[in-house]
Coordinates of all heavy atoms in Angstrom, one line a residue:
Chain B
L313 N -73.8 -3.4 -22.7 CA -75.1 -3.1 -22.2 C -76.0 -2.6 -23.4 O -77.2 -3.0 -23.6 CB -75.1 -2.1 -21.1 CG -76.4 -1.8 -20.4 CD1 -77.0 -3.0 -19.8 CD2 -76.3 -0.6 -19.5
A314 N -75.4 -1.8 -24.2 CA -76.2 -1.2 -25.4 C -76.5 -2.3 -26.4 O -77.6 -2.4 -26.8 CB -75.3 -0.2 -26.2
R315 N -75.6 -3.3 -26.6 CA -76.0 -4.4 -27.5 C -77.1 -5.2 -26.9 O -78.0 -5.6 -27.5 CB -74.7 -5.3 -27.7 CG -75.1 -6.5 -28.5 CD -73.9 -7.3 -28.9 NE -73.1 -6.7 -30.0 CZ -72.1 -7.3 -30.6 NH1 -71.7 -8.5 -30.1 NH2 -71.4 -6.7 -31.5
A316 N -77.0 -5.5 -25.5 CA -78.1 -6.2 -24.9 C -79.4 -5.5 -25.0 O -80.4 -6.1 -25.3 CB -77.7 -6.4 -23.4
T317 N -79.4 -4.2 -24.9 CA -80.6 -3.4 -24.9 C -81.1 -3.5 -26.4 O -82.3 -3.8 -26.5 CB -80.3 -1.9 -24.6 OG1 -79.6 -1.9 -23.5 CG2 -81.5 -1.2 -24.5
G318 N -80.2 -3.4 -27.4 CA -80.7 -3.6 -28.8 C -81.4 -4.9 -29.0 O -82.4 -5.1 -29.6
M319 N -80.7 -5.9 -28.4 CA -81.3 -7.3 -28.6 C -82.6 -7.4 -27.8 O -83.5 -8.2 -28.4 CB -80.3 -8.4 -28.1 CG -79.1 -8.5 -29.1 SD -77.7 -9.3 -28.3 CE -78.2 -11.0 -28.6
D320 N -82.7 -6.8 -26.8 CA -84.0 -6.8 -26.0 C -85.1 -6.1 -26.8 O -86.2 -6.6 -26.9 CB -83.7 -6.0 -24.7 CG -84.6 -6.5 -23.5 OD1 -85.0 -7.7 -23.6 OD2 -84.8 -5.7 -22.6
V321 N -84.8 -5.0 -27.4 CA -85.7 -4.2 -28.1 C -86.3 -5.1 -29.3 O -87.5 -5.3 -29.6 CB -85.2 -2.9 -28.7 CG1 -86.1 -2.2 -29.7 CG2 -85.0 -1.9 -27.5
E322 N -85.3 -5.8 -30.0 CA -85.5 -6.6 -31.1 C -86.4 -7.8 -30.6 O -87.4 -8.2 -31.3 CB -84.2 -7.2 -31.6 CG -83.9 -7.0 -33.0 CD -82.6 -7.7 -33.3 OE1 -81.5 -7.1 -33.0 OE2 -82.6 -8.8 -34.0
R323 N -86.1 -8.3 -29.4 CA -86.9 -9.5 -28.9 C -88.3 -9.2 -28.7 O -89.2 -10.0 -29.0 CB -86.2 -9.9 -27.6 CG -86.8 -11.2 -27.0 CD -86.0 -11.5 -25.8 NE -85.9 -10.4 -24.7 CZ -86.9 -10.1 -23.9 NH1 -88.0 -10.8 -23.8 NH2 -86.8 -9.1 -23.0
V324 N -88.6 -8.0 -28.1 CA -90.0 -7.7 -27.7 C -90.8 -7.1 -29.0 O -92.0 -7.1 -28.9 CB -90.1 -6.6 -26.7 CG1 -89.4 -7.1 -25.4 CG2 -89.5 -5.3 -27.1
T325 N -90.1 -6.9 -30.1 CA -90.9 -6.4 -31.2 C -91.1 -7.5 -32.3 O -90.2 -8.0 -32.9 CB -90.1 -5.2 -32.0 OG1 -89.6 -4.3 -30.9 CG2 -90.8 -4.5 -33.0
A326 N -92.4 -7.9 -32.4 CA -92.7 -9.0 -33.3 C -93.1 -8.4 -34.7 O -94.3 -8.1 -34.9 CB -93.8 -9.9 -32.7
G327 N -92.1 -8.1 -35.5 CA -92.5 -7.5 -36.8 C -91.4 -7.7 -37.8 O -90.3 -8.3 -37.4
D328 N -91.7 -7.3 -39.1 CA -90.6 -7.5 -40.1 C -90.0 -6.0 -40.4 O -88.8 -6.0 -40.7 CB -91.2 -8.0 -41.3 CG -91.9 -9.4 -41.0 OD1 -91.3 -10.2 -40.6 OD2 -93.2 -9.4 -41.2
L329 N -90.8 -5.1 -40.4 CA -90.3 -3.7 -40.7 C -90.7 -2.7 -39.7 O -91.7 -2.9 -39.0 CB -90.8 -3.3 -42.1 CG -90.6 -4.3 -43.3 CD1 -91.4 -3.8 -44.5 CD2 -89.1 -4.2 -43.7
V330 N -90.0 -1.6 -39.7 CA -90.5 -0.4 -38.9 C -90.4 0.8 -39.8 O -89.4 1.1 -40.4 CB -89.6 -0.3 -37.6 CG1 -90.0 1.1 -36.9 CG2 -89.6 -1.4 -36.7
V331 N -91.5 1.5 -39.8 CA -91.7 2.7 -40.7 C -91.7 3.9 -39.8 O -92.4 4.1 -38.9 CB -92.9 2.6 -41.6 CG1 -92.9 3.8 -42.6 CG2 -93.0 1.3 -42.3
A332 N -90.8 4.9 -40.2 CA -90.8 6.2 -39.4 C -91.6 7.2 -40.4 O -91.1 7.3 -41.5 CB -89.4 6.6 -39.2
S333 N -92.5 7.8 -39.9 CA -93.4 8.8 -40.7 C -94.0 9.8 -39.9 O -93.8 9.8 -38.7 CB -94.3 8.0 -41.6 OG -95.2 7.5 -40.7
T334 N -94.9 10.6 -40.5 CA -95.8 11.4 -39.7 C -97.0 10.6 -39.3 O -97.2 9.5 -39.8 CB -96.2 12.6 -40.5 OG1 -97.0 12.1 -41.7 CG2 -95.1 13.5 -41.0
G335 N -97.8 11.1 -38.3 CA -98.9 10.4 -37.8 C -100.0 10.2 -39.0 O -100.5 9.1 -39.1
A336 N -100.1 11.2 -39.9 CA -101.0 11.2 -41.0 C -100.7 10.0 -41.9 O -101.5 9.2 -42.4 CB -101.1 12.4 -41.6
N337 N -99.3 10.0 -42.3 CA -98.9 8.9 -43.2 C -98.9 7.6 -42.6 O -99.2 6.5 -43.4 CB -97.4 9.2 -43.6 CG -97.4 10.3 -44.7 OD1 -98.5 10.6 -45.3 ND2 -96.2 10.8 -45.0
A338 N -98.7 7.4 -41.3 CA -98.8 6.1 -40.6 C -100.1 5.5 -40.8 O -100.2 4.2 -40.9 CB -98.4 6.3 -39.2
A339 N -101.1 6.2 -40.9 CA -102.5 5.8 -41.0 C -102.7 5.0 -42.4 O -103.5 4.2 -42.5 CB -103.6 6.8 -40.8
R340 N -101.8 5.4 -43.3 CA -101.9 4.7 -44.7 C -101.3 3.4 -44.8 O -101.5 2.7 -45.9 CB -101.4 5.8 -45.8 CG -102.1 7.1 -45.9 CD -101.3 8.1 -46.7 NE -100.7 7.6 -47.9 CZ -99.5 8.2 -48.4 NH1 -99.0 9.1 -47.8 NH2 -99.0 7.6 -49.5
I341 N -100.4 3.1 -43.8 CA -99.6 1.9 -44.1 C -100.4 0.6 -44.2 O -100.2 -0.3 -44.9 CB -98.5 1.7 -42.9 CG1 -97.6 3.0 -43.0 CG2 -97.8 0.4 -42.9 CD1 -96.6 3.1 -41.9
A342 N -101.4 0.5 -43.3 CA -102.2 -0.8 -43.2 C -102.8 -1.1 -44.6 O -103.1 -2.3 -44.9 CB -103.4 -0.6 -42.2
A343 N -103.1 0.0 -45.5 CA -103.6 -0.3 -46.8 C -102.6 -0.7 -47.8 O -103.1 -1.1 -48.9 CB -104.4 1.0 -47.2
V344 N -101.4 -0.6 -47.6 CA -100.3 -1.0 -48.5 C -100.5 -2.6 -48.7 O -100.6 -3.4 -47.8 CB -98.9 -0.7 -48.0 CG1 -97.9 -1.3 -49.0 CG2 -98.8 0.8 -47.9
P345 N -100.5 -3.1 -50.0 CA -100.7 -4.5 -50.3 C -99.5 -5.4 -49.6 O -98.3 -4.9 -49.7 CB -100.6 -4.6 -51.8 CG -100.9 -3.3 -52.3 CD -100.5 -2.3 -51.2
G346 N -99.8 -6.4 -49.0 CA -98.8 -7.3 -48.4 C -98.7 -7.0 -46.9 O -98.0 -7.8 -46.2
V347 N -99.2 -6.0 -46.4 CA -99.1 -5.7 -44.9 C -100.2 -6.3 -44.2 O -101.3 -6.2 -44.4 CB -99.2 -4.1 -44.7 CG1 -99.3 -3.9 -43.2 CG2 -98.0 -3.4 -45.3
A348 N -99.7 -7.3 -43.3 CA -100.7 -8.0 -42.5 C -101.2 -7.2 -41.3 O -102.4 -7.1 -41.1 CB -100.2 -9.4 -42.1
T349 N -100.3 -6.7 -40.6 CA -100.6 -5.9 -39.4 C -99.7 -4.7 -39.4 O -98.5 -4.7 -39.7 CB -100.3 -6.7 -38.1 OG1 -100.9 -8.0 -38.2 CG2 -100.8 -6.0 -36.9
A350 N -100.3 -3.5 -39.1 CA -99.5 -2.4 -38.9 C -99.9 -1.8 -37.6 O -101.1 -1.5 -37.3 CB -99.9 -1.3 -40.0
S351 N -98.9 -1.5 -36.8 CA -99.1 -1.0 -35.3 C -98.5 0.3 -35.2 O -97.2 0.4 -34.9 CB -98.7 -2.0 -34.4 OG -98.6 -1.4 -33.1
P352 N -99.2 1.4 -35.5 CA -98.5 2.7 -35.4 C -98.4 3.2 -34.0 O -99.3 3.0 -33.2 CB -99.5 3.6 -36.2 CG -100.8 2.9 -36.3 CD -100.6 1.4 -35.9
Q353 N -97.4 3.9 -33.7 CA -97.2 4.5 -32.4 C -96.9 6.0 -32.7 O -95.9 6.2 -33.3 CB -96.1 4.0 -31.6 CG -96.3 2.5 -31.2 CD -95.0 2.0 -30.4 OE1 -94.4 2.7 -29.7 NE2 -94.8 0.7 -30.5
V354 N -97.8 6.9 -32.3 CA -97.5 8.3 -32.6 C -97.2 9.1 -31.3 O -97.9 9.0 -30.3 CB -98.8 9.0 -33.2 CG1 -98.5 10.4 -33.7 CG2 -99.3 8.1 -34.4
S355 N -96.0 9.8 -31.3 CA -95.7 10.5 -30.1 C -96.5 11.8 -30.1 O -96.3 12.6 -31.0 CB -94.2 10.9 -30.2 OG -93.4 9.7 -30.2
V356 N -97.2 12.0 -29.1 CA -98.1 13.2 -29.0 C -97.8 14.1 -27.8 O -97.2 13.6 -26.8 CB -99.6 12.8 -28.9 CG1 -100.1 12.3 -30.3 CG2 -99.8 11.7 -27.8
D357 N -98.0 15.4 -28.0 CA -97.7 16.3 -26.9 C -98.8 16.5 -26.1 O -99.7 17.5 -26.1 CB -97.3 17.6 -27.7 CG -96.7 18.6 -26.7 OD1 -96.5 18.2 -25.5 OD2 -96.4 19.7 -27.1
I358 N -99.0 15.6 -25.2 CA -100.1 15.6 -24.1 C -99.5 15.4 -22.8 O -98.3 15.0 -22.7 CB -101.2 14.7 -24.4 CG1 -100.8 13.3 -24.3 CG2 -102.0 15.0 -25.7 CD1 -101.9 12.3 -24.7
S359 N -100.2 15.6 -21.7 CA -99.6 15.3 -20.4 C -100.5 14.3 -19.6 O -101.7 14.3 -19.9 CB -99.5 16.6 -19.6 OG -100.7 17.1 -19.1
V360 N -99.9 13.6 -18.8 CA -100.6 12.5 -18.0 C -100.1 12.6 -16.6 O -98.9 12.7 -16.3 CB -100.2 11.1 -18.5 CG1 -101.0 10.0 -17.5 CG2 -100.8 10.9 -19.9
T361 N -101.1 12.8 -15.7 CA -100.8 12.9 -14.3 C -101.3 11.6 -13.6 O -102.4 11.2 -13.7 CB -101.5 14.1 -13.6 OG1 -101.1 15.2 -14.4 CG2 -101.0 14.3 -12.2
V362 N -100.3 10.9 -12.9 CA -100.7 9.6 -12.2 C -100.1 9.7 -10.8 O -99.3 10.5 -10.3 CB -100.0 8.3 -13.0 CG1 -100.8 8.2 -14.2 CG2 -98.6 8.7 -13.1
T363 N -100.6 8.6 -10.0 CA -100.0 8.5 -8.7 C -98.9 7.5 -8.6 O -99.1 6.3 -9.2 CB -101.2 8.0 -7.8 OG1 -102.3 8.9 -7.9 CG2 -100.8 8.0 -6.3
H364 N -97.8 7.7 -8.1 CA -96.6 6.8 -8.0 C -96.7 6.2 -6.6 O -96.9 6.9 -5.6 CB -95.3 7.6 -8.2 CG -95.1 8.1 -9.6 ND1 -94.1 7.5 -10.4 CD2 -95.7 8.9 -10.4 CE1 -94.2 8.0 -11.6 NE2 -95.1 8.9 -11.6
H365 N -96.4 4.9 -6.5 CA -96.2 4.3 -5.2 C -94.8 3.7 -5.2 O -94.6 2.7 -5.9 CB -97.2 3.1 -5.0 CG -98.6 3.6 -5.0 ND1 -99.3 3.9 -3.8 CD2 -99.5 3.8 -6.0 CE1 -100.5 4.3 -4.2 NE2 -100.7 4.2 -5.4
A366 N -93.8 4.4 -4.6 CA -92.5 3.9 -4.6 C -92.0 4.0 -3.3 O -92.1 5.0 -2.5 CB -91.7 4.8 -5.6
E367 N -91.4 2.9 -2.8 CA -90.7 2.6 -1.5 C -91.6 3.3 -0.4 O -91.1 4.1 0.4 CB -89.4 3.3 -1.6 CG -88.4 2.6 -2.4 CD -87.2 3.4 -2.8 OE1 -87.1 4.5 -2.3 OE2 -86.5 3.0 -3.6
G368 N -92.9 2.9 -0.3 CA -93.7 3.3 0.8 C -94.2 4.8 0.7 O -95.1 5.2 1.5
R369 N -93.7 5.4 -0.3 CA -94.3 6.8 -0.5 C -95.1 7.0 -1.7 O -95.0 6.2 -2.7 CB -93.0 7.9 -0.6 CG -92.2 7.9 0.5 CD -91.2 9.0 0.5 NE -90.7 9.1 -0.9 CZ -89.9 9.9 -1.4 NH1 -89.3 10.9 -0.6 NH2 -89.4 10.0 -2.6
Q370 N -96.0 7.8 -1.6 CA -96.8 8.0 -2.8 C -97.0 9.4 -3.2 O -97.0 10.3 -2.2 CB -98.2 7.3 -2.7 CG -99.1 7.8 -1.8 CD -100.5 7.2 -1.8 OE1 -100.6 6.0 -1.5 NE2 -101.5 7.9 -2.3
G371 N -97.2 9.7 -4.5 CA -97.3 11.1 -4.8 C -97.7 11.2 -6.3 O -97.5 10.2 -7.0
R372 N -98.4 12.4 -6.6 CA -98.9 12.5 -8.0 C -97.8 13.3 -8.8 O -97.2 14.2 -8.3 CB -100.2 13.2 -8.1 CG -101.4 12.2 -7.7 CD -102.7 13.0 -7.8 NE -103.2 13.0 -9.1 CZ -103.8 12.0 -9.8 NH1 -103.7 10.9 -9.3 NH2 -104.3 12.3 -11.0
R373 N -97.6 12.7 -10.0 CA -96.6 13.4 -10.9 C -97.1 13.5 -12.3 O -97.9 12.7 -12.7 CB -95.3 12.6 -10.9 CG -94.2 13.0 -9.9 CD -93.1 12.1 -9.9 NE -92.4 12.1 -11.3 CZ -91.5 11.1 -11.5 NH1 -91.1 10.3 -10.6 NH2 -91.0 11.0 -12.7
T374 N -96.7 14.6 -12.9 CA -97.3 14.8 -14.3 C -96.1 14.5 -15.3 O -95.0 15.0 -15.1 CB -97.6 16.3 -14.5 OG1 -98.7 16.6 -13.5 CG2 -98.2 16.5 -15.9
H375 N -96.4 13.8 -16.4 CA -95.4 13.4 -17.4 C -95.7 14.0 -18.6 O -96.9 14.1 -19.0 CB -95.4 11.8 -17.5 CG -95.0 11.1 -16.2 ND1 -93.7 10.8 -15.9 CD2 -95.8 10.7 -15.1 CE1 -93.7 10.3 -14.7 NE2 -94.9 10.2 -14.2
H376 N -94.8 14.4 -19.4 CA -94.9 15.0 -20.7 C -94.3 14.1 -21.9 O -94.6 14.2 -23.0 CB -94.4 16.3 -20.8 CG -95.0 17.3 -19.8 ND1 -96.1 18.0 -20.1 CD2 -94.7 17.6 -18.6 CE1 -96.6 18.7 -19.0 NE2 -95.7 18.5 -18.1
L377 N -93.2 13.4 -21.5 CA -92.4 12.8 -22.5 C -92.7 11.3 -22.7 O -93.2 10.6 -21.7 CB -90.9 12.9 -22.1 CG -90.3 14.2 -22.1 CD1 -88.9 14.2 -21.7 CD2 -90.4 14.9 -23.4
G378 N -92.5 10.8 -23.9 CA -92.7 9.3 -24.2 C -94.2 8.9 -24.2 O -94.5 7.7 -23.9
I379 N -95.1 9.8 -24.4 CA -96.5 9.4 -24.5 C -96.9 9.1 -25.9 O -96.7 10.0 -26.7 CB -97.4 10.5 -23.8 CG1 -97.0 10.7 -22.4 CG2 -98.9 10.1 -23.9 CD1 -97.5 11.9 -21.7
V380 N -97.3 7.9 -26.2 CA -97.7 7.6 -27.6 C -99.1 7.0 -27.7 O -99.7 6.4 -26.7 CB -96.7 6.5 -28.1 CG1 -95.3 7.0 -28.2 CG2 -96.8 5.2 -27.3
T381 N -99.7 7.3 -28.8 CA -101.0 6.6 -29.1 C -100.8 5.3 -29.8 O -99.9 5.1 -30.5 CB -101.9 7.4 -30.0 OG1 -101.3 7.5 -31.2 CG2 -102.0 8.9 -29.4
V382 N -101.6 4.3 -29.4 CA -101.4 2.9 -30.1 C -102.8 2.5 -30.5 O -103.9 2.9 -29.9 CB -100.7 1.9 -29.2 CG1 -99.3 2.4 -28.8 CG2 -101.5 1.7 -27.9

Side-chain angles (χ1 to χ4, degrees):
Chain B
L313 185 66
R315 174 175 285 184
T317 310
M319 288 164 85
D320 208 25
V321 170
E322 237 181 285
R323 183 176 57 81
V324 300
T325 311
D328 302 302
L329 303 168
V330 177
V331 185
S333 65
T334 60
N337 281 346
R340 292 162 51 202
I341 295 172
V344 172
V347 172
T349 310
S351 166
Q353 298 178 30
V354 186
S355 297
V356 283
D357 191 3
I358 61 183
S359 75
V360 173
T361 307
V362 287
T363 308
H364 289 250
H365 299 266
E367 290 161 8
R369 291 189 324 180
Q370 69 174 65
R372 281 182 82 73
R373 264 173 56 191
T374 303
H375 300 268
H376 299 272
L377 296 178
I379 300 167
V380 295
T381 66
V382 297

